[in-house]
């Protein structure tokens, strides 16, 4: 076979641009570096050809052609069709066959292929080029009439569904009816005559449903299929997929036209899908399925149960050996696990696709570590191969073992994507979305999924299918989006009509709770309790995160309010506490009563104390208020000191940032409306206590409490809060140190907008600290700093830094006040709609907004100008979000602080921020 493909750059073209890249006969015009233009599939086919692998000849129409097609309002660019005809001709020469030639027909598959793999965005159309004449050529050449008619009916079915938009069920019903009429159990039991009749029926269906005759001219078929692939780029399921995966909508898809090879030419033919390593566990074994005498879609759709790939070793040893060798070659070449599609035509192996394999979180981690050990990739590359979401998934819940032992099992299928999912059963994707929108958790149950179900899969807790194997759509997509999935649960009879499913005499209906274990393939009745996945049991993840620790510049601290949380965060690798919200301790058990007791008299007592300080004598009421207040605060002080000691011990040797009280006081009192209703309903019978409580709540009521008396403002109005908390912290330090501990405390003042707020609070706090030191007869070391969470604080950071040894960015409040969006209300109201409508690119409470990041950068620069050794961190929710962490790296923060559970994710994200950011370029 000789090549007619010309080297890249040389190809003549009638269109204004070069839109076509061909391959065949060992030469390709493209290569793997051209994914943008050729899409992943096209680049892979070219690269495999260049590597000398057996790839059927073909050509790629570029993504640029797709974009130009849309730019021209759905018209092929001028001249493109002539270039396509030329490319078809080249393939004819390479194969020695003719497109539309009845004697020796060239048949092709037409496949979409974007830069990023989008499973099932647009199914492949196989056998294109068939019509009643070429069909006879095919039959004559193969000597197999049944094969010919089967290929033809498949073509009409696929083309009809994908290109002409006929509903798939229409063909399925006709096929089922034909099988029933002929007493055929499988598709393969239908003979040539039955298939011929079916082809006629299929054509009639197309005419009936579309009003158009099924096209018989191969060139018309190619034209329509090419346009259908382009159009699929903006189809609903492709859009949903890209939105979910954050893939840009302007990349476009390429179209690959590939010479057909037939896996259904008898028992020496076959087709399959395989991964070079197990995509569930990462284990280094060939993993996949194949079918003899079948075409590709049979494997993916799970129509026949496909044997495991290693069975091929016995059935076709030579082909198997070649396939293993090619798999290894491709893995070494791409330095990553590959997902391969292949076909064997009469004993000859053809490679149809190679791409980086989608994998579970567990597999991603194992594969990355193994590839480093095998010397294929560096540690830095390994870090970039793992998505932060993978780390998150590995720490996802599992079912509680005891509950699972006692649970009623409904059925067992394939463990397609690990993790535990609990939800109410729903039987279609739209219902899944509806139910989730109203706050339900659901498990999506389908006979099998298709790309049309993607929106339901994306919102479901887990996915359960009755058909399809480990490489089915459900399995591949679930793994990728990190949802637990049990696939191919054959015991399960799913009835969409009655919205029920039954297996082993157990039925469940829409709305019933079920539990799905994607790690074992089991499905249980009811909602089983789950337990967290143990980080301690995941040495490979720990190994990778240790590498991340060597790379990252920023430290990772945690937001923890209790010793148990601190201890857990430490196991996860936290290097300090970046935010201990002291008021969280106020709500525990009996404490709330004590806190309320103090708050109810706080204002009166504070005023009375001021009078006393000015030399006035207090009347009985004032004196009583002071006594009540002081007694409650004293109790609180003892309790808080205990809390702090626990935290200092848990974080021994590591810094602990303790923030003084922040929320408005009314948060600790009963709700105004409820108290009003209580007193009003009771009428004259209302107790004095309830009336006083109502009056106090009313007196403290604010229209905008988030912008009201909270943070440092509260401490300045009721200084005892600052004093008591300072004493509790410092005495806690002294106590822990006395028992041999190494506590390191940093006291942080929230919500500072004006430097005077900080200096006044500092004066108050220092006076108290001196008193504690005098009483204890020791010097106590602590560091004093502030949060930057009010825009004015950021704008005047140079002044503020004069009084603060550290800044911690409270980006929850900073976002709220920069946008002017109430953080309590916006996400329940307009904000998510804003994101949906594209008014905002992301939810700024989840991912740090650039303008907010800009304010932070300014505060960093100003703060450091005043105090070069100023320590800088973030403790808002953004501290655990990978994209925001990358921004913190660029801003130059010293650490991020996030909830304990997100510490491992943050460790990886902080390393990736270095590897992709300016640090790396230095
Ligand atoms: C913040 O505002 O970002 C912050 C950490 O404080 P809080 O969420 O407690 O207001
Ligand atoms: Mg705040």
């Amino acid at each position: 076979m000789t090549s007619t493909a010309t080297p890249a750059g040389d190809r003549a073209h009638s269109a204004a641009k070069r839109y076509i890249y061909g391959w065949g006969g060992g030469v390709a015009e493209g290569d793997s570096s051209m994914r943008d233009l050729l899409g992943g599939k096209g680049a892979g086919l070219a690269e495999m050809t260049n590597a000398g692998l057996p790839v059927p000849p073909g050509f790629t129409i570029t993504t640029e052609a797709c974009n130009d097609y849309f730019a021209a309002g759905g018209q092929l660019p001028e001249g493109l069709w002539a270039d396509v005809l030329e490319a078809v001709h080249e393939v004819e020469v390479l194969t020695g066959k003719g497109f539309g030639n009845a004697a020796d027909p060239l048949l092709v598959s037409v496949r979409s292929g974007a830069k990023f793999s989008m499973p099932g965005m647009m199914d492949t159309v196989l056998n294109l080029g068939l019509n009643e004449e070429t069909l006879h050529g095919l039959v004559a050449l193969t000597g197999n009439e049944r094969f010919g008619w089967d290929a033809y009916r498949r073509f009409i079915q696929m083309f009809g569904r994908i290109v002409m938009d006929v509903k798939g069920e229409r063909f399925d019903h006709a096929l089922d009816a034909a099988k029933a009429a002929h007493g055929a159990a499988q598709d393969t039991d239908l003979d040539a005559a039955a298939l011929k009749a079916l082809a006629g029926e299929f054509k009639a269906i197309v005419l009936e449903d579309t009003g158009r005759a099924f096209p018989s001219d191969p060139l018309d078929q190619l034209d329509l299929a090419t346009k259908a692939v382009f159009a699929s780029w903006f189809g609903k399921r492709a859009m949903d997929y890209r939105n979910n995966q954050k893939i840009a909508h302007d990349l476009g898809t390429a179209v690959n036209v590939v010479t057909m090879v037939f896996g259904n030419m008898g028992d020496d033919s076959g087709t399959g899908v395989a991964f070079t390593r197990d995509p569930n566990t990462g284990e280094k074994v060939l993993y996949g399925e194949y079918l003899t005498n079948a075409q590709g879609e049979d494997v993916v759709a799970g129509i026949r149960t496909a044997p495991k790939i290693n069975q091929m070793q016995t059935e076709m040893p030579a082909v198997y050996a070649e396939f293993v060798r090619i798999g290894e070659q491709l893995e070494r070449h791409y330095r990553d696990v590959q997902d391969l599609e292949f076909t064997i035509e009469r004993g000859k192996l053809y490679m149809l696709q190679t791409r980086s394999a989608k994998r579970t979180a567990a597999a991603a981690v194992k594969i990355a570590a193994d590839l480093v050990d095998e010397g294929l990739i560096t540690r830095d590359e390994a870090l970039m191969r793992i998505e932060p979401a993978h780390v998150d998934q590995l720490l996802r819940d599992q079912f509680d073992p005891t509950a699972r032992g006692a649970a009623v099992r409904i059925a067992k299928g394939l463990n397609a994507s690990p993790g535990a999912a609990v939800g109410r059963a729903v039987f279609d994707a739209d219902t899944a979305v509806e139910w989730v929108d109203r706050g339900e958790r659901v498990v999506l149950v389908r006979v099998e999924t298709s790309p049309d179900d993607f929106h339901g899969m994306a919102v479901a807790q887990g996915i359960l299918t009755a058909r399809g194997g480990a490489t089915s759509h459900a399995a591949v997509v679930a793994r990728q989006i990190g949802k637990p999935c049990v696939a191919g649960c054959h015991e399960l009879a799913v009835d969409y009509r009655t919205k029920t499913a039954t297996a082993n005499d157990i039925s469940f209906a829409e709305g019933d709770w079920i539990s799905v274990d994607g790690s074992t393939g089991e499905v249980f009745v009811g909602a089983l309790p789950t337990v967290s996945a143990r980080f301690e049991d995941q040495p490979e993840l720990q190994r990778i995160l240790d590498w991340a620790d060597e790379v990252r510049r920023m430290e990772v601290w945690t937001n923890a309010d209790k010793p148990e949380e601190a201890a857990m965060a430490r196991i996860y690798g936290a290097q300090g506490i970046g935010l201990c919200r002291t008021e969280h301790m106020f709500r525990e058990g009996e404490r709330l009563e004590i806190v309320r007791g103090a708050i109810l008299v706080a204002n009166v007592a504070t005023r009375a104390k001021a009078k006393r300080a000015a030399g006035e004598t207090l009347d009985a009421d004032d004196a009583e208020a002071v006594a009540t207040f002081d007694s409650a605060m004293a109790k609180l002080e003892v309790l808080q000191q205990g809390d702090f000691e626990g935290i200092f011990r848990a974080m021994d040797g590591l810094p602990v940032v303790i923030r003084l009280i922040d929320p408005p006081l009314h948060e600790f009192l009963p709700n105004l409306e409820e108290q009003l209703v209580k007193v009003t309903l009771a009428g004259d019978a209302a107790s004095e206590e309830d009336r006083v409580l109502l009056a106090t709540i009313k007196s403290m009521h604010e229209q905008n409490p988030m912008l009201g008396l909270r943070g440092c403002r509260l401490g300045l109005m009721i200084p005892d809060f600052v004093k008591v908390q300072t004493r509790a912290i410092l005495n806690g330090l002294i106590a822990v140190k006395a028992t041999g501990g190494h506590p390191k405390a940093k006291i942080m003042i929230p919500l500072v907008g004006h430097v005077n707020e900080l200096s006044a609070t500092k004066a108050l706090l220092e006076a108290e600290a001196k008193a504690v030191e005098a009483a204890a007869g020791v010097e106590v070391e602590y560091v004093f700093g502030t949060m930057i969470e009010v825009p004015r604080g950021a704008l005047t950071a140079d002044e503020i830094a004069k009084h603060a040894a550290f800044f911690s960015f409270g980006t929850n409040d900073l976002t709220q006040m920069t946008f002017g969006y109430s953080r309590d209300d916006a996400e329940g109201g307009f904000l998510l709609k804003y994101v949906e409508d594209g008014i905002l690119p992301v939810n700024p409470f989840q991912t740090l907004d650039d303008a907010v990041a800009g304010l932070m950068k300014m505060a960093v620069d100003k703060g450091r100008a005043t105090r070069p050794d100023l320590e800088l961190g973030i403790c808002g929710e953004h501290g655990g979000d990978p994209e925001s962490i990358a921004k913190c790296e660029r801003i130059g923060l010293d650490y991020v602080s996030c909830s304990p559970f997100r510490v491992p994710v943050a460790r990886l994200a902080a390393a990736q921020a270095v590897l992709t950011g300016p640090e790396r370029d230095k």
Side-chain angles (χ1 to χ4, degrees):
M1 205 181 277
T2 53
S3 164
T4 58
T6 47
D10 275 345
R11 189 184 189 93
H13 46 89
S14 309
K17 289 180 197 163
R18 175 179 180 175
Y19 288 120
I20 307 267
Y21 287 76
W23 71 85
V27 181
E29 294 172 345
D31 62 48
S32 64
S33 70
M34 298 168 71
R35 287 169 61 98
D36 285 345
L37 194 61
L38 305 183
K41 192 172 285 163
L45 286 163
E47 189 77 0
M48 284 198 292
T49 306
N50 287 329
L53 301 184
V55 178
F59 59 91
T60 301
I61 309 174
T62 62
T63 54
E64 215 175 11
C66 174
N67 289 330
D68 290 349
Y69 170 82
F70 284 113
Q75 299 288 326
L76 291 186
E78 178 94 29
L80 171 58
W81 188 244
D83 293 338
V84 168
L85 294 181
E86 179 55 33
V88 169
H89 178 65
E90 286 168 13
V91 176
E92 289 177 325
V93 174
L94 280 164
T95 57
K97 296 170 185 285
F99 203 44
N101 178 346
D104 190 1
L106 167 67
L107 304 183
V108 295
S109 64
V110 175
R111 300 154 169 248
S112 63
K115 175 176 181 184
F116 301 109
S117 131
M118 298 172 52
M121 174 185 85
M122 138 108 199
D123 314 73
T124 304
V125 179
L126 300 177
N127 304 342
L128 192 137
L130 272 181
N131 55 30
E132 302 255 346
E133 284 83 56
T134 54
L135 163 64
H136 294 302
L138 190 65
V139 170
L141 282 173
T142 55
N144 187 337
E145 194 171 357
R146 187 195 173 281
F147 163 75
W149 282 107
D150 192 40
Y152 192 39
R153 71 89 190 164
R154 281 169 191 267
F155 172 53
I156 303 167
Q157 186 172 356
M158 279 182 148
F159 193 96
R161 183 169 59 80
I162 295 164
V163 181
M164 302 183 79
D165 276 339
V166 177
K167 286 229 172 318
E169 298 99 83
R170 295 275 283 139
F171 300 117
D172 294 342
H173 292 155
L175 179 61
D176 287 344
K179 285 201 301 200
H182 291 83
Q186 310 255 9
D187 301 0
T188 41
D189 297 333
L190 289 174
D191 64 13
L195 291 166
K196 182 176 179 180
L198 199 55
E201 264 185 70
F202 282 2
K203 281 192 188 173
I205 288 173
V206 170
L207 184 62
E208 200 176 306
D209 287 14
T210 67
R212 285 182 292 158
F214 189 83
S216 59
D217 180 344
L219 289 174
D220 284 349
Q221 295 169 359
L222 184 58
D223 174 58
L224 289 168
T226 303
K227 288 173 182 162
V229 172
F230 285 161
S232 72
W233 178 253
F234 284 114
K236 180 176 177 332
R237 60 198 204 201
M239 297 275 284
D240 284 349
Y241 187 86
R242 290 198 296 272
N243 285 337
N244 180 276
Q245 296 288 307
K246 297 198 174 140
I247 296 175
H249 292 294
D250 61 359
L251 298 176
T253 179
V255 179
N256 298 290
V257 179
V258 189
T259 304
M260 279 300 301
V261 283
F262 291 96
N264 51 347
M265 278 202 170
D267 286 341
D268 59 352
S269 302
T271 186
V273 180
F275 297 83
T276 52
R277 298 183 194 214
D278 186 329
N280 287 312
T281 63
E283 212 189 326
K284 195 175 177 183
V285 289
L286 202 56
Y287 175 96
E289 294 162 335
Y290 87 115
L291 281 172
T292 44
N293 199 10
Q295 275 199 333
E297 82 272 18
D298 298 344
V299 179
V300 178
I303 289 165
R304 269 157 59 194
T305 308
K308 297 267 167 280
I309 188 89
N310 55 9
Q311 196 170 314
M312 205 166 109
Q313 196 166 12
T314 356
E315 292 182 359
M316 301 184 197
V319 174
Y320 182 77
E322 189 188 1
F323 183 68
V324 169
R325 188 189 56 70
I326 288 176
E328 283 168 1
Q329 181 183 340
L330 285 168
E331 210 185 77
R332 272 197 312 278
H333 183 77
Y334 286 102
R335 303 185 310 127
D336 197 9
V337 177
Q338 296 296 297
D339 169 356
L340 307 169
E341 268 179 38
F342 62 96
T343 284
I344 305 148
E345 184 182 281
R346 292 188 162 157
K348 174 150 175 47
L349 174 67
Y350 290 95
M351 299 304 298
L352 300 180
Q353 175 161 303
T354 187
R355 60 181 172 193
S356 276
K358 305 276 181 220
R359 61 205 74 178
T360 62
V365 167
K366 176 161 172 52
I367 289 166
D370 285 353
L371 293 182
V372 169
D373 293 341
E374 291 165 30
L376 277 181
I377 59 172
T378 63
R379 286 182 179 188
D380 286 0
E381 283 172 312
L383 289 173
M384 293 309 293
R385 293 273 175 97
I386 297 164
E387 292 165 29
H390 281 146
V391 177
D392 205 34
Q393 280 166 37
L394 282 177
L395 301 172
R396 250 194 341 219
D397 294 355
Q398 306 288 323
F399 287 122
D400 171 78
T402 325
R404 145 198 215 105
V408 179
R409 190 166 101 180
I410 306 170
K412 186 160 192 288
L414 259 174
N415 52 342
S417 177
V422 179
R424 292 174 185 273
V426 292
F427 291 85
D428 66 89
D430 290 343
T431 309
V433 170
E434 254 169 55
W435 286 38
V436 169
D437 278 352
R438 61 174 206 235
E440 297 283 356
R441 285 188 296 155
V442 303
V443 170
L444 180 63
V445 184
R446 300 286 294 163
V447 174
E448 59 190 325
T449 63
S450 77
D452 293 333
D453 296 319
F454 183 77
H455 58 299
M457 299 171 78
V459 298
Q461 299 290 315
I463 296 134
L464 169 62
T465 67
R467 286 218 305 247
T471 50
S472 65
H473 177 266
V476 171
V477 172
R479 274 201 293 273
Q480 186 182 358
I481 62 178
K483 303 272 174 176
C485 172
V486 171
C489 192
H490 296 292
E491 306 167 321
L492 196 69
V494 176
D495 186 341
Y496 290 146
R497 207 175 30 84
T498 56
K499 297 188 178 170
T500 56
T502 309
N504 305 310
D505 293 332
I506 306 171
S507 290
F508 60 88
E510 184 176 79
D512 289 348
W513 285 92
I514 56 170
S515 297
V516 170
D517 190 335
S519 310
T520 63
E522 290 168 292
V523 186
F524 300 99
V525 174
L528 298 191
T530 52
V531 288
S532 328
R534 281 167 51 90
F535 183 65
E536 300 89 303
D537 300 337
Q538 306 192 47
E540 253 139 9
L541 175 61
Q542 293 187 31
R543 199 169 158 224
I544 299 260
L545 292 180
D546 287 345
W547 297 343
D549 294 347
E550 285 169 26
V551 170
R552 66 187 161 87
R553 183 191 59 77
M554 288 189 296
E555 293 201 348
V556 176
W557 296 13
T558 192
N559 295 355
D561 309 325
K562 295 182 190 159
E564 312 85 82
E565 289 173 11
M568 182 172 137
R570 233 184 146 156
I571 292 172
Y572 282 166
Q575 294 164 288
I577 289 185
L579 176 62
C580 173
R581 291 175 164 108
T582 46
E583 64 275 359
H584 284 185
M585 301 163 176
F586 290 0
R587 292 193 173 91
E588 306 253 305
E590 37 145 29
R591 296 176 183 202
L592 191 57
E593 280 313 306
I594 302 173
V595 173
R596 279 185 181 169
I599 291 172
L600 288 176
V601 291
N603 286 329
V604 179
T606 304
R607 277 196 299 273
K609 285 187 182 192
K611 278 192 219 163
R612 196 173 57 189
E616 284 183 43
T617 334
L618 302 187
D619 62 22
D621 284 352
D622 279 354
E624 195 193 329
V626 169
T628 312
F629 182 67
D630 283 351
S631 140
M633 293 297 268
K635 282 188 203 157
L636 207 56
E637 184 178 331
V638 173
L639 293 168
Q640 284 238 297
Q641 184 178 327
D643 295 331
F644 295 142
E645 287 178 26
I647 289 183
F648 289 143
R649 289 203 171 90
M651 295 305 284
D652 193 48
L654 297 178
V656 177
V657 177
I658 298 172
R659 178 180 74 181
L660 301 192
I661 188 169
D662 181 76
L665 292 183
H666 73 83
E667 279 196 13
F668 302 100
L669 299 179
N671 172 283
L672 173 61
E673 281 89 11
E674 280 168 21
Q675 190 66 18
L676 191 61
V677 169
K678 188 174 176 191
V679 172
T680 313
L681 286 181
D684 291 345
S687 70
E688 182 55 22
E689 199 184 325
D690 274 337
R691 286 176 198 281
V692 172
L693 188 55
L694 177 61
T696 316
I697 300 171
K698 272 189 178 162
S699 73
M700 289 186 169
H701 180 72
E702 294 175 308
Q703 293 299 338
N704 291 307
M706 267 295 177
L707 301 177
L709 185 61
R710 57 177 286 234
C712 61
R713 305 159 201 169
L714 190 56
L716 290 170
M717 292 302 108
I718 307 174
D720 279 289
F721 277 114
V722 174
K723 293 182 187 173
V724 163
Q725 291 200 302
T726 304
R727 285 201 299 270
I729 295 168
L730 299 189
N731 283 320
L733 277 177
I734 294 170
V736 172
K737 217 165 177 183
T739 55
H742 308 86
K744 285 182 159 184
K746 295 174 186 260
I747 301 180
M748 180 160 80
I749 308 303
L751 232 64
V752 169
H754 194 288
V755 62
N756 292 348
E757 291 177 309
L758 188 64
S759 56
T761 309
K762 191 177 188 180
L764 206 64
L765 192 146
E766 280 178 346
E768 208 58 34
K770 286 214 170 65
V772 170
E773 287 177 335
V778 287
E779 243 186 61
V780 215
E781 260 181 63
Y782 67 91
V783 183
F784 179 83
T786 186
M787 292 186 77
I788 297 289
E789 50 183 346
V790 173
R792 195 183 186 285
L795 291 163
T796 55
D798 45 352
E799 292 172 32
I800 288 177
K802 287 182 193 148
H803 302 278
F806 66 89
F807 286 172
S808 178
F809 289 97
T811 45
N812 303 333
D813 273 310
L814 193 58
T815 301
Q816 163 173 261
M817 292 184 227
T818 302
F819 274 91
Y821 294 164
S822 157
R823 58 192 264 198
D824 290 334
D825 305 313
E827 283 167 294
F830 61 90
L831 187 53
L832 301 185
K833 181 87 172 91
Y834 262 26
V835 175
E836 221 176 277
D837 293 350
I839 293 172
L840 287 181
V842 286
N843 176 349
F845 288 107
Q846 272 174 354
T847 302
L848 200 55
D849 171 70
D850 285 334
V852 177
L855 264 180
M856 291 167 68
K857 175 77 175 97
M858 188 175 64
V860 165
D861 293 344
K862 284 183 171 241
R864 284 211 173 117
T866 301
R867 191 188 283 256
D869 64 348
L870 183 72
E871 186 181 63
L872 297 156
I874 178 175
C875 63
E877 283 312 296
H878 305 91
D881 169 66
E883 253 183 75
S884 310
I885 290 172
K887 293 185 183 181
C888 293
E889 170 69 29
R890 292 199 285 276
I891 292 168
L893 300 191
D894 298 310
Y895 67 87
V896 296
S897 187
C898 55
S899 67
F901 194 67
R902 294 168 93 186
V903 165
V905 174
R907 287 166 68 190
L908 177 69
Q912 291 183 339
V914 168
L915 293 172
T916 51
E919 279 296 306
R920 187 190 207 182
D921 306 331
K922 279 186 191 158

